[in-house]
mmCIF file of all heavy atoms in Angstrom:
data_model
loop_
_atom_site.group_PDB
_atom_site.id
_atom_site.type_symbol
_atom_site.label_atom_id
_atom_site.label_comp_id
_atom_site.label_asym_id
_atom_site.label_seq_id
_atom_site.Cartn_x
_atom_site.Cartn_y
_atom_site.Cartn_z
ATOM 1 N N ASP A 15 59.316 89.900 178.534
ATOM 2 C CA ASP A 15 58.513 91.110 178.728
ATOM 3 C C ASP A 15 58.391 91.965 177.477
ATOM 4 O O ASP A 15 57.744 92.994 177.500
ATOM 5 C CB ASP A 15 59.132 91.941 179.863
ATOM 6 C CG ASP A 15 58.265 93.123 180.239
ATOM 7 O OD1 ASP A 15 57.071 92.917 180.469
ATOM 8 O OD2 ASP A 15 58.781 94.252 180.269
ATOM 9 N N GLY A 16 59.008 91.587 176.393
ATOM 10 C CA GLY A 16 58.930 92.403 175.183
ATOM 11 C C GLY A 16 59.692 93.703 175.346
ATOM 12 O O GLY A 16 60.826 93.724 175.795
ATOM 13 N N ASN A 17 59.030 94.815 175.032
ATOM 14 C CA ASN A 17 59.723 96.100 175.065
ATOM 15 C C ASN A 17 59.533 96.872 176.369
ATOM 16 O O ASN A 17 59.949 98.020 176.482
ATOM 17 C CB ASN A 17 59.285 96.981 173.879
ATOM 18 C CG ASN A 17 57.798 97.297 173.936
ATOM 19 O OD1 ASN A 17 57.121 97.011 174.928
ATOM 20 N ND2 ASN A 17 57.284 97.872 172.862
ATOM 21 N N GLY A 18 58.879 96.269 177.352
ATOM 22 C CA GLY A 18 58.733 96.917 178.660
ATOM 23 C C GLY A 18 57.868 98.153 178.645
ATOM 24 O O GLY A 18 58.050 99.055 179.481
ATOM 25 N N SER A 19 56.900 98.222 177.744
ATOM 26 C CA SER A 19 56.074 99.428 177.629
ATOM 27 C C SER A 19 55.260 99.704 178.891
ATOM 28 O O SER A 19 54.895 100.849 179.161
ATOM 29 C CB SER A 19 55.146 99.300 176.422
ATOM 30 O OG SER A 19 54.326 98.153 176.539
ATOM 31 N N TRP A 20 54.995 98.674 179.689
ATOM 32 C CA TRP A 20 54.202 98.856 180.908
ATOM 33 C C TRP A 20 54.893 99.772 181.911
ATOM 34 O O TRP A 20 54.266 100.377 182.787
ATOM 35 C CB TRP A 20 53.942 97.498 181.579
ATOM 36 C CG TRP A 20 55.195 96.813 182.045
ATOM 37 C CD1 TRP A 20 56.013 96.017 181.315
ATOM 38 C CD2 TRP A 20 55.783 96.911 183.344
ATOM 39 N NE1 TRP A 20 57.081 95.599 182.056
ATOM 40 C CE2 TRP A 20 56.966 96.129 183.317
ATOM 41 C CE3 TRP A 20 55.446 97.559 184.525
ATOM 42 C CZ2 TRP A 20 57.799 95.991 184.418
ATOM 43 C CZ3 TRP A 20 56.279 97.426 185.633
ATOM 44 C CH2 TRP A 20 57.439 96.645 185.572
ATOM 45 N N LEU A 21 56.240 99.911 181.777
ATOM 46 C CA LEU A 21 56.987 100.743 182.711
ATOM 47 C C LEU A 21 56.591 102.219 182.631
ATOM 48 O O LEU A 21 56.794 102.980 183.579
ATOM 49 C CB LEU A 21 58.486 100.599 182.441
ATOM 50 C CG LEU A 21 59.096 99.242 182.810
ATOM 51 C CD1 LEU A 21 60.411 99.027 182.077
ATOM 52 C CD2 LEU A 21 59.294 99.135 184.317
ATOM 53 N N GLU A 22 56.016 102.624 181.493
ATOM 54 C CA GLU A 22 55.608 104.018 181.327
ATOM 55 C C GLU A 22 54.521 104.412 182.324
ATOM 56 O O GLU A 22 54.321 105.606 182.589
ATOM 57 C CB GLU A 22 55.126 104.252 179.899
ATOM 58 C CG GLU A 22 56.218 104.069 178.847
ATOM 59 C CD GLU A 22 55.695 104.252 177.434
ATOM 60 O OE1 GLU A 22 54.461 104.404 177.282
ATOM 61 O OE2 GLU A 22 56.504 104.260 176.495
ATOM 62 N N ALA A 23 53.820 103.418 182.874
ATOM 63 C CA ALA A 23 52.738 103.717 183.815
ATOM 64 C C ALA A 23 53.235 103.991 185.228
ATOM 65 O O ALA A 23 52.471 104.478 186.073
ATOM 66 C CB ALA A 23 51.742 102.553 183.837
ATOM 67 N N LEU A 24 54.509 103.712 185.507
ATOM 68 C CA LEU A 24 55.037 103.935 186.852
ATOM 69 C C LEU A 24 55.184 105.433 187.121
ATOM 70 O O LEU A 24 55.572 106.194 186.240
ATOM 71 C CB LEU A 24 56.403 103.259 187.005
ATOM 72 C CG LEU A 24 56.424 101.726 186.905
ATOM 73 C CD1 LEU A 24 57.856 101.221 187.016
ATOM 74 C CD2 LEU A 24 55.550 101.100 187.989
ATOM 75 N N PRO A 25 54.884 105.886 188.346
ATOM 76 C CA PRO A 25 55.026 107.311 188.660
ATOM 77 C C PRO A 25 56.492 107.736 188.705
ATOM 78 O O PRO A 25 57.371 106.951 189.078
ATOM 79 C CB PRO A 25 54.376 107.429 190.048
ATOM 80 C CG PRO A 25 54.477 106.052 190.636
ATOM 81 C CD PRO A 25 54.368 105.100 189.483
ATOM 82 N N HIS A 26 56.739 108.980 188.298
ATOM 83 C CA HIS A 26 58.071 109.589 188.337
ATOM 84 C C HIS A 26 59.080 108.866 187.449
ATOM 85 O O HIS A 26 60.288 108.912 187.691
ATOM 86 C CB HIS A 26 58.613 109.634 189.777
ATOM 87 C CG HIS A 26 57.683 110.279 190.751
ATOM 88 N ND1 HIS A 26 57.351 111.608 190.683
ATOM 89 C CD2 HIS A 26 56.993 109.751 191.790
ATOM 90 C CE1 HIS A 26 56.510 111.900 191.659
ATOM 91 N NE2 HIS A 26 56.268 110.788 192.349
ATOM 92 N N VAL A 27 58.587 108.184 186.438
ATOM 93 C CA VAL A 27 59.446 107.409 185.532
ATOM 94 C C VAL A 27 59.105 107.774 184.092
ATOM 95 O O VAL A 27 57.938 107.883 183.730
ATOM 96 C CB VAL A 27 59.250 105.891 185.757
ATOM 97 C CG1 VAL A 27 59.879 105.095 184.617
ATOM 98 C CG2 VAL A 27 59.849 105.469 187.081
ATOM 99 N N THR A 28 60.155 107.968 183.280
ATOM 100 C CA THR A 28 59.980 108.228 181.852
ATOM 101 C C THR A 28 60.830 107.233 181.072
ATOM 102 O O THR A 28 62.027 107.090 181.351
ATOM 103 C CB THR A 28 60.422 109.657 181.483
ATOM 104 O OG1 THR A 28 59.688 110.595 182.262
ATOM 105 C CG2 THR A 28 60.185 109.934 180.003
ATOM 106 N N VAL A 29 60.228 106.531 180.130
ATOM 107 C CA VAL A 29 60.977 105.612 179.268
ATOM 108 C C VAL A 29 61.736 106.441 178.245
ATOM 109 O O VAL A 29 61.140 107.165 177.450
ATOM 110 C CB VAL A 29 60.044 104.609 178.576
ATOM 111 C CG1 VAL A 29 60.834 103.742 177.589
ATOM 112 C CG2 VAL A 29 59.357 103.718 179.609
ATOM 113 N N THR A 30 63.048 106.351 178.276
ATOM 114 C CA THR A 30 63.880 107.124 177.353
ATOM 115 C C THR A 30 64.398 106.297 176.191
ATOM 116 O O THR A 30 64.735 106.839 175.143
ATOM 117 C CB THR A 30 65.088 107.739 178.098
ATOM 118 O OG1 THR A 30 65.834 106.696 178.748
ATOM 119 C CG2 THR A 30 64.623 108.745 179.129
ATOM 120 N N ARG A 31 64.463 104.975 176.374
ATOM 121 C CA ARG A 31 64.999 104.122 175.308
ATOM 122 C C ARG A 31 64.377 102.739 175.415
ATOM 123 O O ARG A 31 64.922 101.848 176.073
ATOM 124 C CB ARG A 31 66.516 104.047 175.415
ATOM 125 C CG ARG A 31 67.212 103.494 174.170
ATOM 126 C CD ARG A 31 68.702 103.726 174.238
ATOM 127 N NE ARG A 31 69.032 105.138 174.277
ATOM 128 C CZ ARG A 31 70.274 105.607 174.444
ATOM 129 N NH1 ARG A 31 71.278 104.782 174.597
ATOM 130 N NH2 ARG A 31 70.493 106.912 174.476
ATOM 131 N N PRO A 32 63.230 102.528 174.767
ATOM 132 C CA PRO A 32 62.635 101.185 174.796
ATOM 133 C C PRO A 32 63.440 100.232 173.934
ATOM 134 O O PRO A 32 64.128 100.639 172.991
ATOM 135 C CB PRO A 32 61.236 101.418 174.213
ATOM 136 C CG PRO A 32 61.384 102.626 173.347
ATOM 137 C CD PRO A 32 62.428 103.483 174.000
ATOM 138 N N GLY A 33 63.392 98.965 174.273
ATOM 139 C CA GLY A 33 64.111 97.977 173.474
ATOM 140 C C GLY A 33 63.775 96.578 173.915
ATOM 141 O O GLY A 33 63.192 96.365 174.986
ATOM 142 N N HIS A 34 64.089 95.594 173.083
ATOM 143 C CA HIS A 34 63.783 94.197 173.406
ATOM 144 C C HIS A 34 64.820 93.604 174.359
ATOM 145 O O HIS A 34 64.506 92.695 175.121
ATOM 146 C CB HIS A 34 63.703 93.378 172.116
ATOM 147 C CG HIS A 34 62.518 93.741 171.269
ATOM 148 N ND1 HIS A 34 61.232 93.359 171.586
ATOM 149 C CD2 HIS A 34 62.418 94.456 170.129
ATOM 150 C CE1 HIS A 34 60.390 93.827 170.672
ATOM 151 N NE2 HIS A 34 61.092 94.500 169.775
ATOM 152 N N ASP A 35 66.076 94.099 174.316
ATOM 153 C CA ASP A 35 67.101 93.588 175.230
ATOM 154 C C ASP A 35 66.951 94.178 176.624
ATOM 155 O O ASP A 35 67.099 93.481 177.620
ATOM 156 C CB ASP A 35 68.496 93.886 174.686
ATOM 157 C CG ASP A 35 68.773 93.139 173.390
ATOM 158 O OD1 ASP A 35 68.205 92.044 173.224
ATOM 159 O OD2 ASP A 35 69.540 93.656 172.567
ATOM 160 N N PHE A 36 66.684 95.456 176.703
ATOM 161 C CA PHE A 36 66.441 96.126 177.982
ATOM 162 C C PHE A 36 65.717 97.432 177.706
ATOM 163 O O PHE A 36 65.698 97.928 176.559
ATOM 164 C CB PHE A 36 67.745 96.385 178.752
ATOM 165 C CG PHE A 36 68.671 97.365 178.086
ATOM 166 C CD1 PHE A 36 68.571 98.732 178.330
ATOM 167 C CD2 PHE A 36 69.648 96.921 177.207
ATOM 168 C CE1 PHE A 36 69.419 99.630 177.711
ATOM 169 C CE2 PHE A 36 70.503 97.815 176.584
ATOM 170 C CZ PHE A 36 70.383 99.173 176.834
ATOM 171 N N THR A 37 65.117 97.992 178.738
ATOM 172 C CA THR A 37 64.453 99.287 178.638
ATOM 173 C C THR A 37 65.189 100.273 179.531
ATOM 174 O O THR A 37 65.525 99.954 180.674
ATOM 175 C CB THR A 37 62.981 99.179 179.091
ATOM 176 O OG1 THR A 37 62.308 98.222 178.265
ATOM 177 C CG2 THR A 37 62.284 100.528 178.975
ATOM 178 N N GLU A 38 65.450 101.465 178.988
ATOM 179 C CA GLU A 38 66.135 102.490 179.764
ATOM 180 C C GLU A 38 65.119 103.520 180.234
ATOM 181 O O GLU A 38 64.258 103.969 179.466
ATOM 182 C CB GLU A 38 67.213 103.162 178.918
ATOM 183 C CG GLU A 38 68.088 104.136 179.699
ATOM 184 C CD GLU A 38 69.261 104.627 178.883
ATOM 185 O OE1 GLU A 38 70.259 103.892 178.769
ATOM 186 O OE2 GLU A 38 69.163 105.753 178.339
ATOM 187 N N LEU A 39 65.224 103.902 181.503
ATOM 188 C CA LEU A 39 64.269 104.809 182.116
ATOM 189 C C LEU A 39 64.982 105.981 182.757
ATOM 190 O O LEU A 39 66.121 105.851 183.211
ATOM 191 C CB LEU A 39 63.471 104.093 183.219
ATOM 192 C CG LEU A 39 62.948 102.688 182.939
ATOM 193 C CD1 LEU A 39 62.493 102.057 184.233
ATOM 194 C CD2 LEU A 39 61.789 102.765 181.965
ATOM 195 N N ARG A 40 64.285 107.093 182.840
ATOM 196 C CA ARG A 40 64.738 108.210 183.657
ATOM 197 C C ARG A 40 63.866 108.263 184.898
ATOM 198 O O ARG A 40 62.636 108.326 184.797
ATOM 199 C CB ARG A 40 64.626 109.530 182.907
ATOM 200 C CG ARG A 40 65.202 110.714 183.696
ATOM 201 C CD ARG A 40 65.021 112.019 182.956
ATOM 202 N NE ARG A 40 63.616 112.397 182.893
ATOM 203 C CZ ARG A 40 63.134 113.333 182.076
ATOM 204 N NH1 ARG A 40 63.928 113.936 181.234
ATOM 205 N NH2 ARG A 40 61.847 113.624 182.092
ATOM 206 N N VAL A 41 64.502 108.247 186.065
ATOM 207 C CA VAL A 41 63.783 108.331 187.332
ATOM 208 C C VAL A 41 63.965 109.737 187.874
ATOM 209 O O VAL A 41 65.090 110.204 188.056
ATOM 210 C CB VAL A 41 64.314 107.286 188.338
ATOM 211 C CG1 VAL A 41 63.558 107.401 189.665
ATOM 212 C CG2 VAL A 41 64.169 105.880 187.767
ATOM 213 N N ASP A 42 62.874 110.445 188.111
ATOM 214 C CA ASP A 42 62.916 111.842 188.518
ATOM 215 C C ASP A 42 63.677 112.026 189.827
ATOM 216 O O ASP A 42 63.768 111.112 190.659
ATOM 217 C CB ASP A 42 61.498 112.398 188.680
ATOM 218 C CG ASP A 42 60.752 112.480 187.360
ATOM 219 O OD1 ASP A 42 61.424 112.454 186.307
ATOM 220 O OD2 ASP A 42 59.508 112.567 187.383
ATOM 221 N N ALA A 43 64.210 113.240 190.006
ATOM 222 C CA ALA A 43 64.910 113.588 191.238
ATOM 223 C C ALA A 43 63.992 113.374 192.439
ATOM 224 O O ALA A 43 62.823 113.755 192.426
ATOM 225 C CB ALA A 43 65.366 115.045 191.177
#
């Protein structure tokens, strides 16, 4: 999946740390 940039399009989700090994996200309350 590369850097998982597509995850930025998900609602209530913010990519906080993109990377090739894994992508870190913040999921809103």
Side-chain angles (χ1 to χ4, degrees):
D15 187 51
N17 62 9
S19 58
W20 63 275
L21 290 160
E22 296 178 354
L24 296 178
H26 307 295
V27 167
T28 303
V29 175
T30 56
R31 195 168 298 175
H34 292 285
D35 295 330
F36 66 89
T37 301
E38 187 172 280
L39 316 167
R40 185 183 68 195
V41 179
D42 293 341

